[in-house]
Amino acid sequence: KDWPPYVFIMVGVYTGLRREEILALQWDCVFLDAPTPYISVRRAWRNDHNRADISTILKAPAAKRDIPIPKKLVECLREQKGESISDFVIADSKGKPLNYGQFQRMWKYVKVRTVGEHSYYKYVNGKSIKFTVKNELGQARKNRPSIVATIDFVVTPHVLRHTYITNLIYLGVDPKTVQYLVGHVSVGLNQPFFIG
């Protein structure tokens, strides 16, 4: 909960928004006091030479949608809004949307806690040397002992979306509703939520 990507992860898991939809999400599209609280997807984030470009042009017409949100996410967003100085739900310290480099740094909090190979650079005799280490579950990082590998699978922002879709299917939500909630153009076997 105290990690910088916490709100990003909560929005991803509980709404299935794409990374570009989460990073473009502004408070004017978050309706916490509605009878059924929801998020309205109306903008997308793009990276333009390491600058955030927020656009109303979405991936597809189906990407424009309203997604009901559960109480746990409402509480998380209410707390975030109370501390926010920005129009954006996810913002940098100046209230601006994150650029690609800032997003990568934020996501690194998750990435460095996964098992597998990780690289880091260290200056030795004035030269930058790349070191690669392989972490096992429960093992502390050699270069940063305070960081322990606690995640035993590869986590990407898109995995959060797949988790949301999988949970909807497990709950018995019909495919057309899943299609709407995730902003897919059609329901078909080539859609990610039908892939094992």
Side-chain angles (χ1 to χ4, degrees):
K1 185 173 179 184
D2 297 326
W3 294 356
Y6 177 70
V7 175
F8 180 94
I9 290 168
M10 290 291 286
V11 173
V13 166
Y14 287 109
T15 66
L17 265 62
R18 297 170 177 94
R19 175 184 67 177
E20 61 267 21
E21 295 167 345
I22 298 172
L23 293 176
L25 184 61
Q26 295 182 31
W27 292 112
D28 66 347
C29 289
V30 178
F31 300 92
L32 301 176
D33 296 319
T36 300
Y38 68 99
I39 286 176
S40 192
V41 180
R42 299 294 181 262
R43 300 177 187 96
W45 169 96
R46 287 173 184 75
N47 182 52
D48 182 22
H49 298 89
N50 205 33
R51 285 196 195 120
D53 177 33
I54 307 302
S55 171
T56 57
I57 299 170
L58 301 175
K59 185 172 183 175
K64 186 176 180 180
R65 62 205 189 276
D66 295 331
I67 304 166
I69 57 176
K71 183 179 178 184
K72 188 168 185 96
L73 182 56
V74 170
E75 292 166 0
C76 170
L77 291 173
R78 198 177 301 282
E79 185 177 325
Q80 178 75 359
K81 189 174 184 180
E83 299 170 4
S84 181
I85 60 163
S86 177
D87 291 337
F88 290 89
V89 175
I90 309 291
D92 67 14
S93 60
K94 296 176 183 169
K96 305 257 188 231
L98 300 185
N99 63 40
Y100 185 72
Q102 290 168 321
F103 173 75
Q104 290 293 91
R105 282 191 295 281
M106 179 186 77
W107 193 253
K108 194 170 185 178
Y109 278 82
V110 175
K111 197 172 176 183
V112 298
R113 287 165 172 83
T114 61
V115 297
E117 287 191 0
H118 297 278
S119 297
Y120 66 95
Y121 293 87
K122 193 173 185 180
Y123 281 95
V124 178
N125 297 328
K127 292 184 181 180
S128 178
I129 307 293
K130 181 179 179 178
F131 292 88
T132 303
V133 293
K134 185 172 182 173
N135 284 352
E136 310 244 343
L137 195 60
Q139 179 184 13
R141 297 283 300 265
K142 289 182 181 175
N143 63 321
R144 304 253 325 261
S146 63
I147 297 175
V148 177
T150 55
I151 305 170
D152 65 351
F153 57 95
V154 176
V155 181
T156 65
H158 207 69
V159 167
L160 306 175
R161 182 168 165 79
H162 284 208
T163 300
Y164 175 75
I165 293 167
T166 301
N167 286 337
L168 290 177
I169 292 168
Y170 283 150
L171 289 170
V173 177
D174 69 278
K176 284 302 265 183
T177 302
V178 174
Q179 172 197 340
Y180 170 78
L181 290 172
V182 298
H184 282 166
V185 174
S186 64
V187 175
L189 295 178
N190 64 336
Q191 295 292 337
F193 56 81
F194 286 107
I195 296 172

